[in-house]
């Protein structure tokens, strides 16, 4: 099994959240490259799937949020803390 570094996909995805008007289709390639189809996110202790997470991201894009990365540690090519 080949591992692919998460650093570039993550940084590309986050850089799309720059406060400018965007549709989800504009960032979907970054989203799909970062999150697998088996993606499960825990939100307030409740699991949500990739499709549900995408709906949340659409709402954030409508609000023109700006993403910032405060602190991140790349444990290896596929894990982040």
């Amino acid at each position: 099994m080949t591992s692919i570094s998460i650093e570039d996909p993550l940084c590309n995805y986050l850089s799309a959240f720059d406060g400018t008007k965007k549709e989800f289709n504009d960032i979907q390639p970054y989203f799909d490259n970062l999150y697998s189809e088996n993606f499960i996110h825990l939100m307030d202790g409740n699991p949500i799937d990739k499709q549900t997470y995408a709906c949340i991201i659409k709402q954030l894009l409508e609000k023109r949020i700006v993403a910032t990365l405060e602190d991140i540690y790349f444990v290896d090519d596929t894990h982040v803390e």
Side-chain angles (χ1 to χ4, degrees), residues 40-48 52-53 56 60:
I40 300 292
H41 177 72
L42 291 178
M43 183 172 281
D44 297 327
N46 299 307
I48 59 172
T52 304
Y53 192 66
I56 294 167
L60 295 174

Side-chain angles (χ1 to χ4, degrees), residues 3 5 14 17 27-28 32 37 41 44 55-56 61 78:
S3 69
S5 175
L14 292 176
F17 293 90
I27 69 149
Q28 188 164 3
D32 289 338
E37 292 303 317
H41 177 72
D44 297 327
C55 290
I56 294 167
L61 285 171
T78 59

Side-chain angles (χ1 to χ4, degrees), residues 9-52:
L10 177 62
C11 290
N12 289 336
Y13 174 72
L14 292 176
S15 70
F17 293 90
D18 59 4
T20 61
K21 183 177 180 177
K22 289 186 179 71
E23 300 293 325
F24 184 73
N25 290 342
D26 297 328
I27 69 149
Q28 188 164 3
Y30 302 125
F31 182 84
D32 289 338
N33 193 33
L34 184 59
Y35 300 110
S36 75
E37 292 303 317
N38 300 324
F39 167 80
I40 300 292
H41 177 72
L42 291 178
M43 183 172 281
D44 297 327
N46 299 307
I48 59 172
D49 63 9
K50 184 177 178 178
Q51 183 178 4
T52 304

